[in-house]
Amino acid sequence: MNTVPILPPVLDDRRLRKMAEETSCETAERFAAGYRRLLPHRVQRMTDSVRVEETEAAMDAALSLKTSSALVGALRMERICLHLQQALDRSESHTAEKACQEAEDHLPHLTAALANRVVAQN
């Protein structure tokens, strides 16, 4: 029996709402806007590092993107970055490249979700 893995949501608004509660709506908005603005560059940096086999740079990029993705609620991107880190730890270049491709494929979906998000409701 084949089972289809359950994917985390593209974006969990509860994370940004929690950030807004703990800081301010403005802080959460700035963080989300900065994350969205830098996201294509960060995915590209991660992918380029994997392609040229710069493992340390790829690991740094994956860890950074995983952490900021967790904060903004980009749960699927967070999971992709975790898989990339695990592949790099095991020196599985094919799996690492596959994770990067998944990140690139997911990028437009995440960007759209971020554009339509709700940080806080008053």
Side-chain angles (χ1 to χ4, degrees):
M1 173 190 246
N2 288 338
T3 59
V4 177
I6 297 173
L7 296 175
V10 173
L11 188 64
D12 182 351
D13 285 337
R14 292 176 297 183
R15 301 269 179 107
L16 282 174
R17 287 185 185 132
K18 181 175 168 78
M19 183 187 293
E21 289 171 9
E22 293 175 352
T23 58
S24 68
C25 287
E26 294 79 19
T27 298
E29 284 288 350
R30 274 195 309 272
F31 185 83
Y35 176 86
R36 181 173 180 240
R37 184 181 68 253
L38 295 172
L39 186 58
H41 169 73
R42 297 175 83 189
V43 169
Q44 188 66 52
R45 176 177 165 241
M46 189 171 69
T47 301
D48 289 347
S49 297
V50 168
R51 286 191 180 131
V52 296
E53 298 179 4
E54 291 181 1
T55 304
E56 190 173 315
M59 184 66 81
D60 180 62
L63 178 61
S64 175
L65 184 54
K66 182 182 81 173
T67 302
S68 59
S69 294
L71 290 170
V72 82
L75 304 184
R76 200 170 301 171
M77 186 62 79
E78 178 186 8
R79 188 206 63 169
I80 292 167
C81 292
L82 174 61
H83 288 172
L84 175 56
Q85 285 181 282
Q86 292 168 340
L88 293 169
D89 278 339
R90 294 187 302 260
S91 299
E92 296 173 352
S93 60
H94 178 71
T95 305
E97 290 171 7
K98 191 174 168 184
C100 287
Q101 184 62 54
E102 190 176 350
E104 290 177 333
D105 292 345
H106 179 59
L107 182 59
H109 303 286
L110 178 54
T111 302
L114 286 163
N116 296 314
R117 78 193 183 290
V118 176
V119 172
Q121 296 177 343
N122 294 328

